[in-house]
Amino acid sequence: MQLGLSFVAGLIATSALVFAAPAPGVSEAIEIPLEKRSSLLHADSNVIDFQKVAAHVTSLRNKYQGTLNNFKVNTGAEHPLRRELPEELKKRATGTVALTDESEQLWHGNVVFGGQTIPIDFDTGSADLVVNRDAYTPGSSSTNTGRAWTAAYGDGTTARGTVYTDSFSIAGISASKVAIGRATTDFLNDANNQGIAGMSFPALSQFGSQYPPFFDSLINQKKVDQSVFTFTLKAGSGSTLFLGGVSGGSPSYSNVDTSNGFWQIPGRVNGISFESIQDTGTTVIVAPNSDAANLCNNVGGSTFTQDGSTYCAYTCSRPPKVSFTFGSFTKALSSATTSFGQTNDGRCVLSVIGGDVGVNAWVTGDSWLQNVRATFNRSTRQVGFTSQ
Ligand SMILES: *[C@@H]1O[C@H](CO)[C@@H](O)[C@H](O)[C@H]1NC(C)=O
């Protein structure tokens, strides 16, 4: 096949464009290079910027509140994982955290709508594809569906817009009439990152069943041989999203709870059982506060609280073993991912933090995903892992 990846020079300047040979029997599997540009640290330092972390947790809370609401609209039922937020968090979610570029915490690559290349974040924790106003100008190939959407973002402001459909391509795979939510504003404040492409199940979508998520359009239009995608997220360069198959060995699978629209699987860490949402849109691992405190005690760390979140500090020279099990797959966090930064006084902070995002589950983000190759199979509704 023709590998016609549109590429805006400079946008993904440091990522090499590497195309894997198609896996045997997978004619339309394609690899999209991803890049992540920043962290939760102060500039040029390994000291954690706790305001950035707080803003990230707030944006997650807003995202999850939005997806849970979408689920209720779509199914008529309260989301099974929904947890009532305390009053003060409901308030905080509407605007006291400074505007932070939450988009910088995510993984982005390029998509093309109506011939226009848009750098976008791929997010397995949500379902809709929405972009800044200036990233996409409707043209002769686009259709205005008249359908409106709204979503809350990191600072509690609301983005809103209209759903269009347009010709679409991603790394040479083309599809027609793919839904794109064009905002009325530029709600993501980052030139290198102009939108969010949700890759969860359609039950979490706000656009409605007529306007499915982009991967569903690729499946429905038979553009991928398998309804499967694989994220290989690395701490350094070389992260990829592979559409249509597995790039690498045969994964060890867990069944997804199909009742709720997330990529949710049961897990265990150091003997603590939990439900896990596999979310590429989360930088660390966010657990309910009590679970995070339990894990911290379990590994001999000391907890501290900041802006309503629970953190676990330990002596950097003695990193704890934090071992996750999903199904028959067990993997301890690497030394690079056990901690995401240090305190002012030089203690390491565990990548599992406690925060209330309004769901009874752990949000296992990059600090976990950077240890594995994660394969998401829509047909079998399974998530599988191999070691990186
Ligand atoms: C995904 O599920 C389908 C349907 O059972 C199966 O045929 C396919 O082999 C699976 N793909 C991977 C990569 O596991």
Side-chain angles (χ1 to χ4, degrees):
M1 68 179 287
Q2 190 73 22
L3 297 178
L5 180 79
S6 298
F7 181 71
V8 177
L11 277 183
I12 311 183
T14 64
S15 71
L17 286 171
V18 179
F19 296 107
V26 182
S27 61
E28 297 280 356
I30 193 87
E31 204 162 62
I32 297 111
L34 301 179
E35 189 178 356
K36 175 170 160 157
R37 295 187 310 123
S38 84
S39 68
L40 299 172
L41 306 178
H42 286 287
D44 301 321
S45 125
N46 56 7
V47 175
I48 293 168
D49 182 337
F50 287 99
Q51 274 196 313
K52 281 191 189 167
V53 186
H56 186 50
V57 172
T58 300
S59 76
L60 271 181
R61 188 180 303 129
N62 287 334
K63 174 173 95 170
Y64 278 90
Q65 295 310 294
T67 51
L68 301 191
N69 287 342
N70 295 343
F71 180 90
K72 190 169 182 183
V73 170
N74 291 336
T75 66
E78 207 61 82
H79 196 283
L81 291 179
R82 183 169 179 276
R83 180 165 69 190
E84 189 70 23
L85 286 168
E87 285 307 315
E88 84 265 16
L89 287 185
K90 285 183 188 161
K91 273 196 218 101
R92 198 178 294 164
T94 58
T96 55
V97 175
L99 177 65
T100 298
D101 195 353
E102 59 159 324
S103 57
E104 293 210 350
Q105 314 304 337
L106 304 178
W107 298 93
H108 56 270
N110 287 340
V111 296
V112 181
F113 275 96
Q116 300 162 64
T117 300
I118 306 172
I120 201 162
D121 297 329
F122 295 98
D123 178 17
T124 58
S126 66
D128 295 316
L129 191 155
V130 294
V131 300
N132 280 343
R133 177 191 58 198
D134 292 338
Y136 169 69
T137 306
S140 55
S141 60
S142 56
T143 303
N144 183 341
T145 70
R147 188 174 174 107
W149 60 271
T150 61
Y153 286 93
D155 64 343
T157 54
T158 300
R160 62 184 75 247
T162 305
V163 178
Y164 289 79
T165 59
D166 208 334
S167 64
F168 171 80
S169 79
I170 183 164
I173 303 177
S174 297
S176 59
K177 298 197 177 78
V178 175
I180 175 172
R182 185 194 190 217
T184 55
T185 56
D186 286 347
F187 66 101
L188 295 171
N189 178 25
D190 177 358
N192 285 353
N193 187 16
Q194 294 283 301
I196 297 167
M199 299 186 77
S200 70
F201 290 83
L204 302 181
S205 165
Q206 196 183 138
F207 291 0
S209 53
Q210 263 183 291
Y211 309 112
F214 86 89
F215 194 65
D216 287 73
S217 294
L218 296 183
I219 296 169
N220 296 342
Q221 295 177 35
K222 303 194 168 24
K223 300 297 184 179
V224 281
D225 273 4
Q226 294 189 57
S227 313
V228 174
F229 54 88
T230 300
F231 277 92
T232 308
L233 303 182
K234 294 179 188 273
S237 60
S239 297
T240 55
L241 164 60
F242 192 82
L243 295 178
V246 184
S247 59
S250 192
S252 166
Y253 284 107
S254 294
N255 292 332
V256 170
D257 182 329
T258 55
S259 69
N260 65 39
F262 290 113
W263 289 103
Q264 183 201 331
I265 53 178
R268 264 181 302 128
V269 59
N270 294 18
I272 301 170
S273 296
F274 59 94
E275 289 298 319
S276 155
I277 296 170
Q278 301 290 321
D279 183 354
T280 57
T282 299
T283 299
V284 288
I285 298 165
V286 182
N289 281 294
S290 56
D291 283 357
N294 281 347
L295 178 64
C296 191
N297 292 336
N298 171 300
V299 300
S302 48
T303 56
F304 63 96
T305 306
Q306 182 107 20
D307 300 318
S309 290
T310 305
Y311 296 91
C312 180
Y314 61 88
T315 305
C316 294
S317 58
R318 293 198 300 275
K321 186 166 184 211
V322 179
S323 192
F324 283 86
T325 299
F326 294 105
S328 59
F329 184 81
T330 294
K331 181 92 186 166
L333 298 185
S334 66
S335 53
T337 54
T338 301
S339 169
F340 70 102
Q342 297 186 4
T343 59
N344 267 326
D345 57 2
R347 306 197 77 207
C348 279
V349 178
L350 196 68
S351 297
V352 179
I353 70 169
D356 195 345
V357 298
V359 292
N360 285 313
W362 290 40
V363 182
T364 38
D366 297 348
S367 297
W368 159 247
L369 292 167
Q370 284 177 344
N371 291 281
V372 295
R373 201 184 288 277
T375 296
F376 299 76
N377 192 332
R378 282 288 303 273
S379 312
T380 50
R381 295 172 169 252
Q382 290 177 318
V383 180
F385 301 111
T386 50
S387 289
Q388 270 191 25

